[in-house]
Amino acid sequence: MKIIAIDAGNTHLRLAKIDTLSLQNAKIIHSDYEGIFATIKNLQKDENKNLPISIASVVPKAHILYAKLTKKYNIVYFCERETITNLRINYSQTLGIDRIVDAVAALALFPNRDLIIIDSGTATTIDCVNSKREFLGGFILPGIKITAEAMHEKTAVLPKCNPYELKFDELPKDTFLAVSSGLIADCAGGIEYVIDFCEKKLKNPQIVGCGGGWDIVKKYVRRETLTVPELTLIGTALAGENIFRNNLQNNLCDDLA
């Protein structure tokens, strides 16, 4: 089935129309909260009926968005841990839904594989999932953007670096290059360090990466990895489909009772 998936941040939204059967050719659309209805209308325009909408987010503002969408559209789902029934989670209740849907997506794309999942945005999460569909745990590291901001704001003279313009020098000889190279070494090195631990818990894992921060540092990570930019959105769509099918089954049981 086709679902419009929404990954909601504090100020910006990422959307995609996901075919949960093929999981391919999903174009990511960017929007803000004010433009969300126009963006959804554009995604719906080639369909003969309104598609279900699935939202995954850890920001409180997303709940307000959910309430607004439910007033206009018939089928809107907000993904929560309790709605994920096809993943066994060995982690406290503090686990964010973004990490859960990443795992759901990676398992769908790489079935029967142990997985290391890297999602780098404001923070960088690195999680372990095995082929038995068990979420084993993971790490949270500072993202490269927030580290770059902190380096500039918390020091007197260190320059402000645009994360998308970072360069790496093996032996920097000016302060800008020293900061730039240090940020890359810090982020990529931290990811490498964590991967070392994760690999001890898994068997021949596939390493999957996504997120804006990952796009910056991936070429400096000395491991064979695959990048799936729409990973979170695929997982959001699959989680929404799971809610849809569970509701359908529950309604059928109620009708037969």
Side-chain angles (χ1 to χ4, degrees):
M1 65 185 295
K2 291 181 181 179
I3 294 181
I4 294 176
I6 303 177
D7 174 19
N10 282 305
T11 58
H12 293 90
L13 306 162
R14 298 191 315 139
L15 302 87
K17 182 163 56 177
I18 305 289
D19 185 330
T20 59
L21 183 61
S22 67
L23 301 179
Q24 294 178 347
N25 302 319
K27 181 181 179 182
I28 298 175
I29 306 295
H30 296 269
S31 175
D32 55 23
Y33 281 83
E34 289 71 25
I36 184 62
F37 287 104
T39 304
I40 291 175
K41 182 179 179 180
N42 187 54
L43 287 170
Q44 301 270 30
K45 68 180 182 181
D46 296 325
E47 305 297 329
N48 56 19
K49 62 178 180 179
N50 283 341
L51 300 178
I53 298 170
S54 181
I55 305 170
S57 178
V58 296
V59 303
K61 195 173 182 179
H63 290 276
I64 299 173
L65 173 67
Y66 170 71
K68 289 181 178 179
L69 291 178
T70 54
K71 292 179 181 179
K72 184 175 179 63
Y73 299 103
N74 293 330
I75 305 176
V76 185
Y77 301 119
F78 197 98
C79 303
E80 297 179 298
R81 177 171 175 157
E82 293 73 21
T83 64
I84 308 296
T85 59
N86 56 355
L87 179 70
R88 292 186 293 276
I89 299 174
N90 184 22
Y91 198 101
S92 75
Q93 289 296 321
T94 59
L95 182 63
I97 191 63
D98 50 345
R99 297 167 69 185
I100 294 174
V101 297
D102 280 350
V104 169
L107 286 165
L109 292 168
F110 309 98
N112 304 315
R113 288 290 303 271
D114 285 2
L115 300 160
I116 297 173
I117 304 166
I118 304 167
D119 190 339
S120 185
T122 303
T124 297
T125 58
I126 306 173
D127 294 317
C128 297
V129 180
N130 67 22
S131 60
K132 298 178 182 178
R133 305 190 68 84
E134 295 173 325
F135 187 102
L136 303 177
F139 296 75
I140 301 177
L141 287 65
I144 195 165
K145 296 178 186 178
I146 200 170
T147 304
E149 291 172 4
M151 287 277 284
H152 173 65
E153 293 174 2
K154 301 298 182 181
T155 60
V157 296
L158 292 183
K160 185 175 183 179
C161 294
N162 183 341
Y164 291 98
E165 297 176 357
L166 296 180
K167 297 180 181 179
F168 186 81
D169 191 296
E170 291 185 356
L171 191 60
K173 291 181 174 60
D174 69 60
T175 302
F176 177 82
L177 274 178
V179 172
S180 175
S181 303
L183 286 167
I184 291 169
D186 177 68
C187 190
I191 290 172
E192 289 272 5
Y193 187 77
V194 168
I195 288 174
D196 284 342
F197 283 99
C198 293
E199 287 181 328
K200 295 176 182 178
K201 306 294 183 181
L202 301 169
K203 183 178 180 181
N204 188 31
Q206 172 67 62
I207 304 173
V208 187
C210 66
W214 176 247
D215 288 336
I216 296 168
V217 303
K218 62 185 179 183
K219 64 181 178 181
Y220 301 105
V221 175
R222 293 169 294 186
R223 291 295 212 291
E224 184 176 342
T225 66
L226 286 175
T227 299
V228 183
E230 67 276 24
L231 189 72
T232 305
L233 291 167
I234 290 174
T236 301
L238 290 170
E241 180 187 39
N242 189 57
I243 299 172
F244 174 84
R245 298 196 184 284
N246 284 339
N247 288 348
L248 199 65
Q249 184 175 12
N250 290 337
N251 291 337
L252 179 60
C253 290
D254 289 341
D255 290 341
L256 294 175

